[in-house]
């Protein structure tokens, strides 16, 4: 496939009707958005249609990095980009990740860790993205796919997409994510009211035999060193922390 060359002075890419090079490099063809996120749910597939239409395929080249640095594109996964204005809500961020996964998305994939925090908080999408699955089934480029058991009460839906509840997200950040990445996300979850400090403490206290739990407890106290209270403040947006209420 021929490299996709960026214009010298690009303007903002269009959200609707982006084009991608075909496999032979002979010319552009419209992307396929039918069925994106259908592995998660019919509701997710319906909401994903306009987001899938905005998904763009770009080569991982220096010119593409310039487009990202100048704010014209946001990188979701290797070779998968969208204009930043597509990601203006938690629902859209969750669906955008599913669209970027495309045919590799499976019904048992649950958004977790840094990706789950990004869905709730926004900002720059984490690289790599992170998913949880009850069974390891292959590898996905640009994704950490961890095998884990999830209780039904540890998973919620947001726009028809499965995501770990905020407190489980915090636990995973504490146990598996490097401090440089985890700390600002944990602080954001507390400050936005998605996570209550005491609930995380209780869960950590109950985890007697889990690997790395002592380090997780110490890291949590470090995070709290920058907090003024014992629980998260109300979310500035006024939105509830229960993401099952987000439907569109």
């Amino acid at each position: 496939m021929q490299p996709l060359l960026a214009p010298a002075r690009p303007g903002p890419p269009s959200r609707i009707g982006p084009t991608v090079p075909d496999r032979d490099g002979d010319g552009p063809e419209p992307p396929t958005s039918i069925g994106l996120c259908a592995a998660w749910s019919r509701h997710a597939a319906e909401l994903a249609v306009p987001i899938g239409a905005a998904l763009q395929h770009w080569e991982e080249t220096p010119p593409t990095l310039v487009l990202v640095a100048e704010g014209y594109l946001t990188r979701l996964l290797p070779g998968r980009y969208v204009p930043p204005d597509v990601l203006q809500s938690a629902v859209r961020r969750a669906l955008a990740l599913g669209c970027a996964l495309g045919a590799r998305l499976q019904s048992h994939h649950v958004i977790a860790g840094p990706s789950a925090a990004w869905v709730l908080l926004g900002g720059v999408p984490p690289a790599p993205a992170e998913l949880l699955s009850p069974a390891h089934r292959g590898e996905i480029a640009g994704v950490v796919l961890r095998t884990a058991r999830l209780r039904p009460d540890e998973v919620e839906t947001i726009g028809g997409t499965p995501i770990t509840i905020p407190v489980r997200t915090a636990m995973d950040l504490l146990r598996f994510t490097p401090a440089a990445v985890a700390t600002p996300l944990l602080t954001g979850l507390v400050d936005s009211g998605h996570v209550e400090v005491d609930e995380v403490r209780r869960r950590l206290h109950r985890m007697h035999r889990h690997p790395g739990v002592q380090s997780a407890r110490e890291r949590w106290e470090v995070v709290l060193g920058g907090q003024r209270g014992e629980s998260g403040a109300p979310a500035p947006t006024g939105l509830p922390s229960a993401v099952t209420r987000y439907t569109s």
Side-chain angles (χ1 to χ4, degrees):
M1 183 170 65
Q2 296 178 349
L4 187 60
L5 299 180
R9 303 298 292 179
S14 172
R15 287 185 52 181
I16 305 299
T19 57
V20 297
D22 61 23
R23 292 184 178 181
D24 297 326
D26 294 329
E29 62 182 24
T32 301
S33 59
I34 299 176
L36 290 174
C37 297
W40 273 334
S41 69
R42 180 177 179 179
H43 182 49
E46 292 172 349
L47 293 177
V49 171
I51 300 172
L55 186 68
Q56 301 184 20
H57 298 199
W58 290 77
E59 296 287 348
E60 298 281 318
T61 62
T64 304
L65 295 179
V66 171
L67 291 175
V68 174
E70 293 184 350
Y72 295 121
L73 292 174
T74 296
R75 183 180 187 269
L76 298 170
L77 291 176
R80 302 295 183 267
Y81 298 80
V82 292
D85 63 344
V86 172
L87 307 172
Q88 292 180 341
S89 71
V91 169
R92 285 173 168 266
R93 290 188 287 271
L95 292 169
L97 180 55
C99 289
L101 288 164
R104 298 165 294 181
L105 179 66
Q106 301 296 317
S107 60
H108 51 81
H109 288 159
V110 177
I111 302 175
S115 293
W118 167 70
V119 166
L120 295 178
L121 302 173
V124 179
E130 185 164 318
L131 301 172
L132 290 184
S133 171
H136 182 71
R137 301 181 182 179
E139 297 181 355
I140 302 175
V143 176
V144 172
L145 181 58
R146 294 197 295 110
T147 302
R149 292 183 179 180
L150 286 168
R151 300 193 310 270
D153 63 350
E154 291 182 314
V155 180
E156 297 179 306
T157 57
I158 173 170
T161 72
I163 181 173
T164 53
I165 62 173
V167 68
R168 171 63 194 246
T169 299
M171 300 295 291
D172 288 344
L173 290 170
L174 287 167
R175 296 181 63 205
F176 304 115
T177 306
V181 176
T183 298
L185 296 176
L186 290 163
T187 300
L189 290 172
V190 172
D191 287 345
S192 63
H194 286 99
V195 167
E196 294 186 358
V197 170
D198 291 340
E199 174 61 17
V200 175
R201 276 207 182 104
R202 285 193 294 270
R203 292 200 175 214
L204 288 172
H205 181 71
R206 292 195 297 264
M207 297 174 63
H208 299 294
R209 299 180 181 179
H210 290 71
V213 65
Q214 183 57 41
S215 296
R217 291 170 181 164
E218 294 171 357
R219 291 177 67 181
W220 185 235
E221 296 306 318
V222 170
V223 171
L224 296 184
Q227 304 299 321
R228 294 188 297 271
E230 287 299 308
S231 61
T237 59
L239 296 174
S241 61
V243 296
T244 47
R245 298 187 183 183
Y246 296 125
T247 58
S248 62

